Amino acid sequence: MTGLPEYLLGLGDDALVAAQRTAEWCAKAPQLEEEVALANLALDQLGQARAFLTYAGELEGEGRDEDALAFLRDEHEFRNVQLVELPNGDFAVTVAKTLFLAAYQNLLYTRLARAAEPRLAGIAAKAAKESAFHVSYASLWTVRLGDGTPLSHRRMRDAVEEVWPYTHELFEPWAPPEAGLDPAALRGPWLEVVGRALGEATLTRPQDGWAATGGRSGRHTEWFGLLLADMQSVHRAHVGARW
Amino acid sequence: MRGTGDAAEAENDLRRRWVVSISAFDALIAADQKIENKDWMPDGYRESLIRQIAQHAHSEIMGMQPEAAWISRAPSLARKAVLIAKVQDEAGHGLYLYAVAETLGARREDLLDALHEGRQKYLSFINYPTLTWADVGALAWLTDGAAVVNQVSLCRTSYGPYGRALVRICREESFHHRQGFDLLHTLSRGTPAQRRSLQEAVDRWWQPALAMFGPPDSRSTHSASSMAWRIKRAGNDELRQRFVDLCVPQAEALGVRLPDPALRWNPERGHHDFTPPDYDELMRVVAGHGPRNRQRLAHRRRAHEEGAWVREAAAVHAAKQAAKQAAGQAGRQAAEWEAGRAAAPDDARAAARETGGPGEGWPLWEVFVRPRRGLGHAHAGSLQAPDAAVALHSARDLYTRREEGVSLWVVPSRSVTSSDPEQKEAYFAPAADKQYRHASSFPPPEGVEGL
């Protein structure tokens, strides 16, 4: 059974690692307008991460704040899904990751906003608005790349197929009673949202096959250690310093 | 002979009209009025503006790199958020400025090409490395501080669209400057290692920041004409002095030493004396021979080249949609493309040219924002987008990210019909002598109220 603190860590880690990856686009985006858009995505995700991690730390009651949780945990202590760790790849891979994550987060947050636990509901209500825009943004780009040039169609198709196996983990039975929901029940509406974008993008939904798993219990991809090493390097080099 | 006479007459006529135009332009400048994009302006004024605005825009987007390199390693989540927001602003500022250049007839694509090919320059400080986290703070405190001094003065520039963009930029830039100081101030109260890194970073960034004001006025090639046209409102030397005077007490608050043994208060001048930056080094770095010129430019070119397929895909998609709409046969067209996806039909290509098209850059859109309920939409600026949906998304991110709006319009720039400045007199002067339209022309007799 997942406890609420661990669940909050999972939500926070999903958002934190997604923010970390999205922010890697800074100064590398395909167009100046997209620089601004991608930075907004990263900032929304980072804001959600901070809210969830702060709350997780308080519930845990061991004096760990958002920074202690972000910078001083080791790889196996992170509870994020593997989807968010995947390298950015080209813009199509980033769009696919964003679409799949945002569609899930939007459904999840919308339900959590009605949770009996008021603080969780409050964070989720704010985050639901943000993720609704992320779904809109990622759908828009899925369609433009999928139904653009032959090259962009191929790249968008490849991206969807590459990322698809990592989406199953989002719906694993991993939620505390306070959440008041069954993650598996989100997959139907998720397929609808994602399917709409893929359809308009002239893409087909990949077959379900091998499914990544393990992130929620601390097993991650080979890329994750590098991401953490980079993210935590300055903080860990100055133990106890304030920033 | 008749023909020659006509030609001479035509030339005289042209000259007369030019004299009228330049007199009107000079009168506007002398009266400290703004020049707007459709006004007549001398070629030299237009060229100076485009050169200066392009260099300003290039500096904003190139300046993202030294800081973006530290986003992933920012030592706290709060600082990470601030740094992302700052680098994001720089992209936004670049974008506002390219849009200003577009009002003068330059195209963003051409300006970017000029940057990528080294034909246009950007500020030299960007070619120095950011070695530690403290450099992120020192860079913001010193170079953004210098930029604020420069840009506050430029807000009064004679070119209206540039001035308006700068007002917006200055408002956002003061956050950059402050957060840099705040970052350093935290380090100044930190561990010995943090304090040491603070001093070292300030040592590294002092000279590049001073050099941001350019060569002394006596050696500046463009200063005189830019001042005469009021594109620039203060000279390089004056602004550099203002910057130094501002920095000295701030450095004291940080407990850092500014790396200049000659720096001291001069009571006679009422300013600090200081060692001017090494202008030969400045010229070398501007010419491409600084520590990071090659990498910065290569990074920028790579991002642009790697993004080409995305820009093209969106343009082609927009063209397909436009063609579908034009043909009014959505279903059949879609089926055709489905079948022969290798090439878009000719009408899609034609539409691609119309909307911007591959390699042409995305078309320009004007953005109007309703600041809050009860107010009308007001023009906020412009942006490039392949279609209306993307334009709306970008407008939201660009022009409302600081809670500036509750509703948005986006309009293709080419759909805007403007009154002709040449017809300004015919349009607007006749209203001047019809004071009887104003209630103030009819003062009520004393003691009569309610009129």
Side-chain angles (χ1 to χ4, degrees), chain B residues 67-121:
Chain B
E67 292 171 300
W70 283 89
I71 289 174
S72 69
R73 289 173 284 175
S76 78
L77 296 185
R79 293 283 178 206
K80 189 191 291 285
V82 170
L83 191 54
I84 294 172
K86 177 179 193 291
V87 175
Q88 176 190 44
D89 276 350
E90 281 156 10
H93 295 175
L95 209 150
Y96 304 153
L97 291 163
Y98 287 120
V100 174
E102 298 206 50
T103 66
L104 291 160
R107 290 174 357 127
R108 193 201 291 184
E109 292 64 45
D110 296 337
L111 298 178
L112 286 175
D113 284 347
L115 167 66
H116 298 154
E117 289 160 17
R119 285 183 281 116
Q120 285 179 344
K121 306 298 180 197

Side-chain angles (χ1 to χ4, degrees), chain A residues 68-132:
Chain A
L69 288 170
F71 296 103
L72 299 176
R73 276 182 301 155
D74 290 332
E75 202 176 328
H76 67 274
E77 296 170 279
F78 276 78
R79 289 290 172 269
N80 55 282
V81 290
Q82 294 180 0
L83 168 70
V84 293
E85 313 163 4
L86 298 179
N88 280 342
D90 61 18
F91 190 61
V93 174
T94 294
V95 167
K97 284 196 298 177
T98 305
L99 175 67
F100 296 155
L101 177 71
Y104 153 80
Q105 283 180 327
N106 186 240
L107 291 163
L108 176 70
Y109 293 152
T110 306
R111 278 164 183 70
L112 288 179
R114 298 194 293 265
E117 211 289 311
R119 183 155 170 196
L120 173 62
I123 300 172
K126 179 175 175 291
K129 293 174 198 158
E130 294 169 345
S131 59

Side-chain angles (χ1 to χ4, degrees), chain B residues 217-235:
Chain B
D217 296 320
S218 56
R219 278 176 59 177
S220 172
T221 35
H222 304 299
S223 263
S225 62
S226 288
M227 292 284 281
W229 277 324
R230 301 195 177 173
I231 294 174
K232 282 174 69 167
R233 303 303 304 252

